Amino acid sequence: MTVRSLWLCPNGSALCGIALFLSLILPPSVAGAVDVIANKSVSVNSLSLASARAIFGMRQVKWPDGAPIQVFVLPDNHAIHGALCKERLNLFPYQLRQSWDRLVYSGMAQAPSEALSEEELLNKVAATPGAIGYVRKVKANDPVKSLNVE
């Protein structure tokens, strides 16, 4: 395999190589990070990656203080949902869906509540104690708090 072949798509164009190069050198903030949000009643201000994956994977159902967690998500094909999975959870959307389906069909958990738009998700998280969700970017006047995922 030559260096040239690493930069070319199967059809011979250089677009794949350029896209790969840019994805490696651009910081995640340029790609447009997703903010994980929670209702202001939630006692935590940050989550580990493992906790975030467990919460959005419906395996962790209570906050550390014992309050129940209500997860709100956007549809699987929504761009922000894809960005959450890839940028924050280091998963593909289909992996998260498989996890939900497995838990739902086995009777171990319920699927997360789905909102049709980012605005609807924000409003549901703001109105539901213990809720968690995500948006493209939290604004200063939004009625939710932003959680840092480490």
Side-chain angles (χ1 to χ4, degrees):
M1 178 180 287
T2 67
V3 174
R4 178 171 161 65
S5 66
L6 291 174
W7 287 95
L8 297 177
C9 291
N11 65 3
S13 73
L15 288 178
C16 289
I18 293 169
L20 174 66
F21 178 72
L22 290 176
S23 70
L24 294 174
I25 65 165
L26 291 177
S29 62
V30 172
V34 173
D35 288 336
V36 174
I37 59 171
N39 183 277
K40 290 192 176 195
S41 69
V42 172
S43 60
V44 300
N45 293 316
S46 66
L47 296 171
S48 67
L49 175 60
S51 289
R53 289 175 82 164
I55 290 169
F56 282 103
M58 306 305 290
R59 294 184 318 273
Q60 181 177 333
V61 296
K62 293 190 184 286
W63 292 107
D65 65 1
I69 299 173
Q70 176 68 46
V71 179
F72 289 97
V73 297
L74 292 168
D76 289 353
N77 62 352
H78 199 286
I80 297 172
H81 179 74
L84 168 84
C85 293
K86 293 175 188 172
E87 296 172 17
R88 291 291 183 200
L89 304 178
N90 297 333
L91 297 169
F92 288 104
Y94 78 87
Q95 291 174 300
L96 200 54
R97 172 57 62 187
Q98 285 176 341
S99 175
W100 296 338
D101 290 347
R102 193 172 29 255
L103 290 170
V104 168
Y105 294 136
S106 68
M108 302 282 293
Q110 292 183 344
S113 300
E114 191 171 291
L116 298 178
S117 70
E118 189 176 0
E119 183 179 347
E120 180 185 352
L121 189 143
L122 181 82
N123 291 333
K124 286 183 175 186
V125 169
T128 309
I132 189 169
Y134 50 90
V135 293
R136 177 58 70 187
K137 195 71 181 153
V138 175
K139 298 173 188 75
N141 60 346
D142 283 343
V144 294
K145 66 194 267 182
S146 180
L147 298 181
N148 187 27
V149 177
E150 305 165 337

